[in-house]
Each structure stands twice: as C-alpha cells, then as structure tokens.
Amino acid sequence: MKIDRLQLDGFGKFSEKILELGPGFNVIFGENESGKSTLQNFLRGMLFGLKKPGARRSYDELLQRYRPWQGSTYGGAIEYSLGDRRFRVERNFAPEDEKVRVLDGDTWQDITAEFPMDKRKEVLFAQTQLGISQIIFDNTVCVRQLRSENSEGLAAEINAKLVNLGSSGEEDISIHTATQILDAKLREIGLTERSAHTTLGKVTARVEALEQSRLDIIRVYEEVRAAETAQRKCQLELESMEESHKQLRLAIIAAEAMEIRTKLSKIDEYDSKIAELRHTLDVGASLRSFPLAQKDNLLVALEKVKVTRQKLYEVENRAEEMTQRVAAQEHRASLCDAYAVFDQESAQSAEAGFTRMEALDQARYELEHKRLTLWHKQSELEADCSFFAGCAGLGIQGEVEFNQLEADISEQKLKAIPLESDRLRNQEKNLAHKVKLYSILAWLSLGLGLGLGAMLGQLVAWSLGLLAIPGCALFVFLWLTVRENKRKLLELRQKIAENARLLSQIKADIAQKGELLNTMLKQVGAENSKELHEKMRQWVIWDHNRQNVANDMADTEKNLTELQERSHAEADALAVNFFVPVGIDASEREITRADLVHFVSGLNNYLQVKAELEVLVARQQELERERDLANSAAKTAQRSVENILTKAGVESPSEFMADWEQAQRVADAQKSWQALNLTRKEMIGETSSEELEARLQRCNFELEAANWHPSQPLSDKLELTRQLEGIADSIQMIKESIANLQGIMETKLAGVSNLAEVEVLLLAAWQEKERVLQRRKALELARQTIVEVSHQVQRDFAPLVNKHMAQTMQTITAGRYTISKIDHEMTIKVEVPEVGEVKDLANLSLGTVDQFYFALRLALVDLMGIQFPLLLDEPFSQYDDTRLAAVLRILLLLAQQRQIVVFTCHTREMEMLQQFASGSYTLVKLSA
C-alpha cells in the first residue's frame, strides 16, 4: 500500500492542508507543536475512525482533542494505492454529521457498500484491505517515540493472526473468538450437575424430580391397594350385616305374627285353661325345681351357635375362593419365572447399558465420518506433493542459506553505498580546484610583490622595495598550502581507486551470490525471494498439515477399533446379563430398542404379578386366621349350650324346651290360675279379634312374599328389635368406613401421574442427560484441540520472528546482540554476550530496549505480510550515531519495497540521510 495524498479539511490546528508523499522514503520534518502527532492521528482516524474498539458505539478521547481550531469541517480525505488500484477515502468525524465514503481512485465511483460494517456502524475498509486490526496497526507499522511496551491485547491479536495464517491460510478466522464461543457453550451446558441455571443442571434436576415422582407414585399405589383391601373387607362385612338385618326384620315380623296367633288362640283357650290349670299344677309338681331361668341363656347360646357356624361357613367359602385365586396368581407368576432373578434396578441397569451402547455407536459413526473426511483431505494433500517437490528438495536449511545469501547481498549493498557515493569525487574536484586556484594566487602574489617592490624601490625609494616581502611570504604560504592539498588530492585519488577496486569485488560477489539465489529460485519454481518464502511457508504448512492428517488418521483408526470393541462388549453384556436369561435371542443380529422394551415390559409385568400375589397371600393368611377365630367362637358357643343342658338334666335342646314348657306351665298355672280372667282382659285390651286377624294377615303376607322360613326358634320380639338396632348401627358405621376409604383412595389418586408415563419420561430424561454429557465432552475436546493447535502454530512461527528480529539487531548493534527470543505474550528476552546469560529487556538501556522493539515490529510486519507504509514518529531519539546510521541504512533498503514515513524534529537524521542517501527521499516540512 502507498499513501499518495493527505487532505486535512479541518483537524486540530490544520485547515485546508494538503500533503503529498513520495513512493519510497519520506521525511516529515517540523519543530515541536508543528503538528506531526496531529498528522499521525489524522491518518489513523481516516483508516479506523475515532471510536473505541469493541461492540459498543463509544468515541475515543481523540475526538474532542482534534476538533478544528478554526471551526471548519471536521474531516478530510486520503488517497492511496493498493496493488494496481487507487482509492480515495472521505470522512467527516463529527458525531452529529458522521460519514465515511470509499471511492474508486480512477473513476471516483462510490464502493463503500463493498466493505462490511460492524456494530459501531464503522466501515471496515482498512481491516478488509490491510488484514490487520487497529491494535496491530498501533504496535507494528506505527512506531512512536519511547513506546517500548506493547498495548494490551497485542499478544493475543498477533498470536491469533499467526495461528490463523499457519493453520488455515485464512486471516478472518479468530482462534480467540472460537475458544470464547466454546467456553460460552460449556458454561451454558454446565460444568457441574448442580448448576441450577445450566442445561446439565436443569436436566439433572428433571431426572431427580422424575425419580422422586416415580417413588411417590409407587408409595401411593401401595397405600391405595391397602385401602382397597380394607374396603373389600368392609364390603363383605356390610353384605353380611345387611343379610342379618333382613333376617332379623323378618324374624321380628314372624315373632309379631306368632304373638298375634298366640293371642288369638289364647282367647279361645283361656276359658278351658282355667279349668286345666289346677290339673296342670297337680301333674307338674315334679318339675318345680327345673331351671326356668336358663331358657333365655339357652336361646342366646343356640343363636350364637347358629351365627358362629354361619360365619364359619362364609369364612371357609371365602378362604376356598382365595386359595383358588392364589393358585391362579401363582400360575401366572410361574409363567414369568425367567424374570425372578431381576428387580427394578435391573431395568435401569439394562437401560443404562443400552444407552452406553447407543452412545458408543454414535461416537463410532462420527469417527467413521471423520475418517472419511481425513481420507479425502489426505488425498487432496498428496495431490500437491509434486507442486512442493522443489521446496522439499531445498528444505528449511536451504531457505536459511537463501536468507543468509540475501542478507549478505544486502550487507554488501550497504557497504557499496558509501563506495558509490559522489562525496569523494566532489572532494577530489574541490581539492583540484583549490590546488589550481591557490597555485595561481601564489604565483600572482609572488609576481605582484616582486614587481611592485622593484618598481617602487627604483622610482620612489629603496626602502619601499621591502614591500615585496609580504608578497613573498604570501607566496610561501600559498605554495605550502598547494603542496598539502596535492598530497591530500593524491591520497584521495588513491582512496577513490581503492573504493573502485572494492566496489568491483563487491559487485562480483553480489553477482555470484545472485546466481546462487537464482538457482534456488528455479529449484523452487519461484520468481523472486518473496514468492520463494511464500512457497516455502506454504510447503511448511502443507507438510505440517500432511503429518497432522496422517497422525489424525492413525488416532482415528485406533479410536474406531476401541469403540467397536467397547460397543460389542456392551452388547454382549446386555445379551448375557439381561436378554438371554429371559429368552430374547439376539446372537445373530444387533440388539435393538425393541429388545430392551421387551425386557423392561416383561420385568414390569413380573413385578406387578409378584406384588399382586403377595397381596393375595396376605389376604389368604388373614382369612385363615379369621376362620380359626370363627371355629373357636363356634366351639365356645356349643360348649355354652352343653353346659345349660347338663344343668337342666336333659340331652337336647328340644328336651330342655319340653321340660321347660311343662315346668313353666306348672309355674305359670300357679300364677295364672288366680288372674286368668284379668290376664285375658289385659291381653285383649281395647283391640278386637278382627283387628288382630287383620294384623296377622299382613304379617303372613310379608313373610310369604319374602319366602321366609325360620332356621331356628324365634327369639323374643324385644330382643330381636334390640339386635336389629345394633345391626343397623353397625351397617351405618361400615358404610361410613367404606365411604372414608373411597375418599382416601380418590384423594390419593387425584393428580397422581401414570407410572408407565413417568417411567417413559424418566427414561427420556436419562437419555437427554447422556446426550448433554456427550455434547459437553465434545466441546471440551474441541476447545483442547484448538488450544493445542494454537500453541503449536505459535511455537512454529516464533523461530521465524526470532530470526528476523536477530538479523535486524545484529545489523543495528554491529553484531553485539545475536540471540533473542519472544514468548507467547510478545515479551523479549536477550542473551547478554558479556555474561552469557538470558536477561529481560528491563536490564538493558532504554535505547537498546527501543531498538529491540523496533526490530520486533519490523519482523512482525514482514512475517505477517502487512502492506501498509511504515510510520516512524521520533523513534531514534535515544540512538547513538552508529546505530542510527545502521537503522537508516536498513530503512533505505526497506524503502525499496514499501513506503516509509519518518516524523522528526531533529536535524541529525537529515544530515545522515544527506551523506549517504542524498536525493533518494522525499522531504515535507511543517511550520510551527
């Protein structure tokens, strides 16, 4: 790139100012406050704007500092050449009227839209054309006074640029940006499972929540099954109580019917009984000691025997039914015996194994794809083998020799500069002119002195002849001066002849080394040294990439084999540990998710059947205990009956009742004989016989409709009524218990998710977690690979930077400093020759430190191929004359390849340039 013209419409002190620069070495000379720094910042602002770097639109402090002093338009224009094209950039810096236009230099067509624009609304034409950022611009091509330190971020920018150039050949790929993106993705996924706001933390929390939900559902199901069992028990008791209630109610009706019939029959019999009572008293005299009071106890005992036997019968029927259900459930369980060795954790283990197998298969597929990609890349690299054959033949050592030859030629050319100078010839011409002039003056002074003295001595007085003495003295002085100048002229001509001989030797040596350089260029197939270095750089990158691809291919093959073995091992473990024992044969095919679903569903079915069998067995045991209790109660009731019969001296209840009736008749006869008439009146009361008949017909009709027949002698109506009320209370209590149990089941089941659906969601959550972990592992591997490649490429480029910097410092310091290194932070360390130790730059003088950083900037500019002119602002203020002369010679050679602009307020640089580069630079003077 070459800057042709600067037009400052209004920038700081300048208004309507135009500067034109030459193609090679330019010097902008001016005293302090003449505007040199203003020009530099104008140039920087025209290229990059006056905004701060970053994503936010904020302005640099320079915006206010360089507002026009005279109120003119805040802006200007710059014209420059890049390759075979010319460009003109116009810019207005004022924020209220900010504008930038890029024009074609030949047609002045607006081509601003061809360049991208960032978030600050800054047109990135300079970054696009030069391939460097503002940070690199400020620390490479722009060299200021006493600026040894590098600005913050330069090391990262330079390293990223070198890495991109070395790894991909592209300059718009940011390794730093890539690692930042990967770090952001890793933070988004989560570094631990307990990060609540990350993807991994969220999916882990979902897995734990679903696990807890599953356990809660299982617990609720167990509680509901217990409630159902209790409800069935209450329902059976309710059915039994309702049947007893019905029987008691019919028994009461029957008792009432019997009571009415008794009353009706007794109305007819009372008259005859009165006559028979006496006879009965006489006949039953032997039964007066009979235990009449035991009749009710006997009836109660007989009722208990009936009830307990009935209950025993019902319990035995239910127990038999439960035995059949247990047998049927045991048969169902026997059909799933293959799953007896597994539990619920087995399903989780099988699912985890299958997930690992799927992950391994996915990784294997990705490696297969990577291997195919590497194979194609390897084929592409091998296709370029013939293109780099010459480079491989030359090798790195050959390139070093080529550089050494170029350096030797450059050094000899530098030596030839003073030899080719006209200074000696001008001195020879001046001395010859002086010799001739002084000779004429000497003879003239001698002639005038002698002639004037003789003439005045003869014509005036002899004493005036002494005036010839000053003329003779002047003649002697001038003659001695002429002799001295002739001696110097002879020495000067000898020196000119010696310089001519040395110049001839240097040119011959340069020609010989040039032939060697041409031979190397032909071997590589390059036109010039830059093309050779570029091709050698491409060859180094190509050979490095070829080796990397070969290593990656070997690693990929190894990893693929390992993944295949691990996948087969997981499949074999699944088959042997889970699928084969339950009859799933996958020996001749790959294991699929259908096999896993078959196994899990079979295991869940077995566990469900097993749980139901346990409930039925518990119910069976409960019925057996209930049967034992009913049997015991029946035996106890039977013993009570037998004890009563023994006390009465009879063998059966019928005998007891027969004797009791006779004894009762005797006892009643004794009582009833006296008040039989009164009893008859009291029994009939105000009710007529017809009403009793009607009531009897209603009772008989209801009993016939229910087809009821007493299974045992009827108890007393009051007793039956009391029992009926007790059973009604028990029925109400049982119904309330059933309703409570139903409410408990409905409450517990309300809002409870389906267990199968929760298990499916849990399985999906585990799979999602595995995918997140795999994705995090892939991102970590990608970041590690990028960092390793970045470090490797930086290590590869560091020797080239060290070499360029060492060559420059060797020339500047006349061979004093030959070994220096930089690290990844662009920090320089130097080997001090006196002690042979490595020292930091802080241990050297400020001038030497400036010179090292000047050499570093030149190396970076050359290595990164930056085409922008080199801007130097008072960089030599701390240089001694010897090192300044060496640096200027370097810059003069460099000016043959790129434009150089030196800003200075010192005349020392001007004098040196005048000595050995007169007329080969452009001078621009500024006024204060």
Side-chain angles (χ1 to χ4, degrees):
M1 179 180 180
K2 173 181 168 294
I3 301 174
D4 299 323
R5 192 168 183 264
L6 298 177
Q7 175 183 323
L8 290 80
D9 297 335
F11 196 86
K13 66 175 291 183
F14 293 109
S15 176
E16 303 299 331
K17 179 72 172 178
I18 295 177
L19 297 177
E20 294 185 355
L21 302 179
F25 201 103
N26 294 265
V27 177
I28 298 180
F29 178 80
E31 298 178 354
N32 292 333
E33 298 184 359
S34 61
K36 297 188 297 298
S37 298
T38 302
L39 281 178
Q40 296 173 47
N41 286 306
F42 172 76
L43 179 58
R44 176 177 176 270
M46 288 300 298
L47 295 174
F48 299 100
L50 295 181
K51 301 184 185 72
K52 294 180 180 179
R56 298 179 57 189
R57 181 180 171 89
S58 59
Y59 290 92
D60 195 287
E61 61 180 8
L62 298 177
L63 180 70
Q64 295 299 327
R65 183 188 303 175
Y66 290 108
R67 283 189 175 274
W69 293 2
Q70 300 178 9
S72 56
T73 301
Y74 190 5
I78 177 175
E79 296 181 6
Y80 58 89
S81 303
L82 186 62
D84 58 352
R85 292 190 63 183
R86 292 170 50 81
F87 299 91
R88 174 182 172 88
V89 177
E90 300 175 350
R91 185 186 288 271
N92 189 329
F93 294 105
E96 63 274 10
D97 192 22
E98 184 178 5
K99 183 179 180 181
V100 61
R101 288 201 309 161
V102 182
L103 307 177
D104 184 278
D106 295 325
T107 64
W108 283 9
Q109 178 184 356
D110 192 336
I111 58 173
T112 310
E114 296 181 6
F115 302 98
M117 180 180 293
D118 62 10
K119 295 181 178 178
R120 304 172 303 165
K121 295 185 178 180
E122 185 66 46
V123 179
L124 305 180
F125 69 93
Q127 292 89 327
T128 303
Q129 291 180 336
L130 302 178
I132 60 174
S133 66
Q134 182 176 325
I135 292 178
I136 296 179
F137 174 85
D138 289 338
N139 291 271
T140 54
V141 298
C142 188
V143 182
R144 295 182 173 89
Q145 179 184 10
L146 300 177
R147 287 293 301 272
S148 300
E149 74 283 356
N150 292 319
S151 70
E152 182 179 358
L154 174 64
E157 293 266 357
I158 296 298
N159 284 336
K161 187 174 183 66
L162 293 179
V163 167
N164 293 333
L165 288 171
S167 61
S168 65
E170 298 291 338
E171 296 188 22
D172 57 353
I173 302 172
S174 176
I175 299 298
H176 181 63
T177 302
T179 55
Q180 284 184 333
I181 292 173
L182 291 175
D183 288 339
K185 291 293 185 182
L186 285 171
R187 289 193 297 271
E188 180 181 346
I189 290 176
L191 302 179
T192 64
E193 295 184 357
R194 297 302 174 190
S195 301
H197 301 293
T198 62
T199 304
L200 180 58
K202 292 177 181 178
V203 73
T204 300
R206 177 169 175 77
V207 168
E208 293 176 353
L210 288 172
E211 287 280 7
Q212 185 60 43
S213 177
R214 178 180 170 277
L215 295 176
D216 293 341
I217 291 172
I218 293 175
R219 177 179 55 78
V220 169
Y221 280 4
E222 291 176 351
E223 293 176 355
V224 169
R225 282 196 291 271
E228 288 177 345
T229 301
Q231 189 183 45
R232 286 195 295 271
K233 179 179 178 182
C234 291
Q235 190 65 38
L236 293 174
E237 292 179 359
L238 177 61
E239 293 174 357
S240 176
M241 287 293 182
E242 288 178 345
E243 182 62 26
S244 299
H245 183 274
K246 178 181 178 182
Q247 295 296 326
L248 280 174
R249 189 176 65 80
L250 293 174
I252 291 173
I253 294 173
E256 184 179 0
M258 185 170 55
E259 183 179 295
I260 292 172
R261 283 195 297 271
T262 301
K263 286 182 178 181
L264 291 173
S265 63
K266 285 182 178 181
I267 291 173
D268 296 334
E269 294 176 357
Y270 274 167
D271 293 337
S272 59
K273 283 185 177 180
I274 292 174
E276 295 175 356
L277 284 175
R278 175 55 61 187
H279 176 72
T280 300
L281 290 172
D282 294 339
V283 173
S286 61
L287 296 175
R288 290 182 179 178
S289 61
F290 189 82
L292 294 174
Q294 293 296 325
K295 176 187 176 183
D296 293 337
N297 295 335
L298 178 61
L299 292 176
V300 172
L302 289 174
E303 182 64 24
K304 286 183 178 180
V305 169
K306 177 182 177 183
V307 172
T308 54
R309 286 180 177 177
Q310 179 65 26
K311 186 173 182 180
L312 178 61
Y313 174 74
E314 294 174 354
V315 170
E316 286 178 345
N317 288 338
R318 292 202 304 271
E320 181 63 26
E321 179 184 356
M322 187 58 63
T323 301
Q324 294 176 359
R325 292 177 63 185
V326 169
Q329 193 69 10
E330 288 177 345
H331 176 68
R332 287 180 62 193
S334 65
L335 297 177
C336 307
D337 282 343
Y339 292 93
V341 297
F342 300 108
D343 55 12
Q344 189 63 42
E345 293 181 356
S346 300
Q348 298 176 1
S349 299
E351 175 63 31
F354 188 81
T355 301
R356 290 193 297 271
M357 186 186 72
E358 283 186 329
L360 291 171
D361 289 341
Q362 178 63 25
R364 186 176 62 180
Y365 170 76
E366 293 174 356
L367 280 180
E368 289 282 0
H369 179 71
K370 180 180 179 181
R371 180 175 64 177
L372 181 60
T373 302
L374 289 174
W375 182 83
H376 286 298
K377 192 171 183 180
Q378 197 172 40
S379 300
E380 294 175 357
L381 290 172
E382 292 298 333
D384 295 333
C385 183
S386 60
F387 179 73
F388 293 112
C391 296
L394 182 63
I396 298 298
Q397 188 61 35
E399 186 181 9
V400 173
E401 294 177 2
F402 183 89
N403 292 335
Q404 186 61 44
L405 287 173
E406 279 193 327
D408 293 343
I409 291 174
S410 298
E411 183 177 359
Q412 288 174 339
K413 286 182 178 180
L414 288 175
K415 291 179 180 178
I417 290 175
L419 296 179
E420 293 178 339
S421 176
D422 295 333
R423 183 175 58 85
L424 293 178
R425 297 189 183 277
N426 291 333
Q427 289 180 0
E428 179 194 13
K429 183 177 179 180
N430 293 333
L431 279 175
H433 179 71
K434 286 181 178 180
V435 168
K436 184 177 180 180
L437 178 63
Y438 286 180
S439 297
I440 295 173
L441 291 175
W443 290 110
L444 182 61
S445 63
L446 178 62
L448 288 175
L450 292 177
L452 182 62
M455 182 178 66
L456 291 177
Q458 290 179 0
L459 296 177
V460 181
W462 68 267
S463 59
L464 294 177
L466 296 177
L467 293 175
I469 294 176
C472 294
L474 179 60
F475 168 78
V476 172
F477 172 75
L478 291 174
W479 181 252
L480 292 176
T481 302
V482 168
R483 287 185 60 187
E484 179 65 22
N485 286 338
K486 285 183 177 180
R487 184 186 63 80
K488 291 182 178 179
L489 182 60
L490 179 61
E491 292 177 354
L492 185 60
R493 287 174 178 173
Q494 291 176 351
K495 189 173 182 180
I496 290 173
E498 180 66 19
N499 283 350
R501 185 182 61 80
L502 291 176
L503 181 61
S504 177
Q505 290 179 356
I506 289 173
K507 288 182 178 179
D509 195 11
I510 289 175
Q512 182 182 0
K513 291 180 179 179
E515 291 178 359
L516 291 176
L517 288 178
N518 291 332
T519 302
M520 292 181 178
L521 288 172
K522 290 179 180 179
Q523 180 180 356
V524 177
E527 295 293 335
N528 49 50
S529 61
K530 183 176 180 181
E531 187 176 343
L532 180 139
H533 290 312
E534 178 62 23
K535 195 167 182 180
M536 288 299 294
R537 185 184 69 83
Q538 294 176 2
W539 170 72
V540 170
I541 295 172
W542 172 83
D543 187 60
H544 179 73
N545 290 339
R546 183 171 59 85
Q547 293 178 3
N548 286 344
V549 170
N551 294 335
D552 289 346
M553 179 67 79
D555 293 341
T556 301
E557 293 286 353
K558 179 181 177 182
N559 294 335
L560 186 59
T561 302
E562 181 182 352
L563 284 176
Q564 289 174 343
E565 293 175 354
R566 289 173 61 191
S567 178
H568 291 160
E570 288 289 349
D572 293 341
L574 284 174
V576 171
N577 296 333
F578 301 105
F579 296 161
V580 172
V582 298
I584 300 175
D585 185 11
S587 58
E588 300 298 331
R589 58 179 177 83
E590 292 184 357
I591 293 176
T592 63
R593 180 162 290 280
D595 298 329
L596 176 66
V597 172
H598 184 184
F599 173 78
V600 173
S601 61
L603 178 59
N604 289 336
N605 182 51
Y606 167 74
L607 295 175
Q608 183 178 0
V609 170
K610 183 179 177 182
E612 292 176 355
L613 178 61
E614 291 176 353
V615 172
L616 291 176
V617 169
R619 179 58 179 159
Q620 183 184 30
Q621 294 174 352
E622 182 180 352
L623 288 174
E624 288 177 355
R625 291 192 296 271
E626 189 175 350
R627 181 178 59 187
D628 293 340
L629 292 174
N631 189 26
S632 176
K635 291 180 179 180
T636 301
Q638 185 62 36
R639 285 196 296 272
S640 298
V641 172
E642 292 175 355
N643 291 334
I644 292 173
L645 294 176
T646 301
K647 291 180 181 179
V650 296
E651 295 182 356
S652 64
S654 58
E655 292 182 14
F656 179 89
M657 293 304 295
D659 290 349
W660 182 86
E661 289 178 356
Q662 293 179 8
Q664 187 64 40
R665 284 196 297 271
V666 172
D668 291 341
Q670 182 68 32
K671 296 177 182 180
S672 301
W673 180 74
Q674 298 176 354
L676 185 58
N677 291 327
L678 181 60
T679 300
R680 180 177 182 276
K681 290 181 181 180
E682 291 177 356
M683 181 181 63
I684 295 298
E686 297 179 356
T687 303
S688 64
S689 299
E690 290 76 9
E691 291 177 353
L692 291 175
E693 288 289 346
R695 287 172 58 191
L696 179 60
Q697 288 179 3
R698 287 194 299 270
C699 291
N700 290 334
F701 178 77
E702 190 170 353
L703 292 173
E704 290 175 358
N707 196 20
W708 182 84
H709 300 286
S711 59
Q712 60 183 8
L714 295 174
S715 300
D716 183 68
K717 181 179 178 181
L718 294 177
E719 178 64 22
L720 290 174
T721 303
R722 184 182 61 79
Q723 294 179 10
L724 183 64
E725 292 175 353
I727 289 176
D729 293 339
S730 299
I731 288 174
Q732 184 62 31
M733 292 175 63
I734 292 173
K735 286 182 178 180
E736 291 177 356
S737 298
I738 291 174
N740 290 335
L741 290 172
Q742 184 65 32
I744 290 173
M745 289 188 293
E746 292 176 354
T747 300
K748 290 184 176 297
L749 289 175
V752 176
S753 302
N754 185 276
L755 180 59
E757 294 177 355
V758 172
E759 290 178 342
V760 169
L761 292 176
L762 179 59
L763 178 60
W766 273 111
Q767 292 175 345
E768 177 65 18
K769 184 177 181 180
E770 289 294 329
R771 287 193 293 270
V772 171
L773 291 174
Q774 289 293 329
R775 187 159 66 251
R776 184 180 71 177
K777 184 177 180 182
L779 290 173
E780 290 173 346
L781 179 60
R783 189 187 189 285
Q784 180 182 358
T785 303
I786 288 175
V787 172
E788 290 176 356
V789 170
S790 172
H791 290 168
Q792 182 61 42
V793 174
Q794 197 277 335
R795 288 193 293 269
D796 292 341
F797 274 94
L800 299 177
V801 177
N802 294 333
K803 177 184 174 182
H804 283 70
M805 183 171 63
Q807 289 176 350
T808 304
M809 285 303 299
Q810 187 174 4
T811 302
I812 294 175
T813 63
R816 173 178 174 78
Y817 294 105
T818 60
I819 301 178
S820 58
K821 307 290 182 183
I822 62 168
D823 59 15
H824 64 285
E825 293 294 338
M826 292 290 128
T827 301
I828 304 175
K829 295 186 182 295
V830 184
E831 182 181 286
V832 180
E834 288 80 3
V835 295
E837 296 181 355
V838 175
K839 299 288 187 180
D840 292 333
L841 284 185
N843 297 313
L844 305 180
S845 67
L846 293 179
T848 305
V849 171
D850 265 358
Q851 291 152 20
F852 266 106
Y853 275 99
F854 173 76
L856 172 60
R857 284 163 168 78
L858 290 185
L860 292 176
V861 168
D862 184 59
L863 183 62
M864 293 189 294
I866 300 175
Q867 299 301 315
F868 194 82
L870 190 62
L871 307 178
L872 303 147
D873 178 22
E874 300 287 358
F876 313 127
S877 61
Q878 300 191 80
Y879 287 29
D880 58 35
D881 291 344
T882 303
R883 295 189 178 182
L884 175 59
V887 169
L888 290 177
R889 288 190 177 97
I890 292 174
L891 292 176
L892 284 171
L893 284 177
L894 187 59
Q896 298 175 10
Q897 303 175 1
R898 69 169 64 246
Q899 188 181 39
I900 295 177
V901 181
V902 176
F903 297 84
T904 182
C905 64
H906 301 286
T907 59
R908 184 178 59 155
E909 290 89 336
M910 308 290 295
E911 293 172 354
M912 287 189 178
L913 288 172
Q914 186 65 31
Q915 289 180 6
F916 50 79
S918 177
S920 61
Y921 65 92
T922 301
L923 175 63
V924 177
K925 292 186 177 181
L926 300 177
S927 58

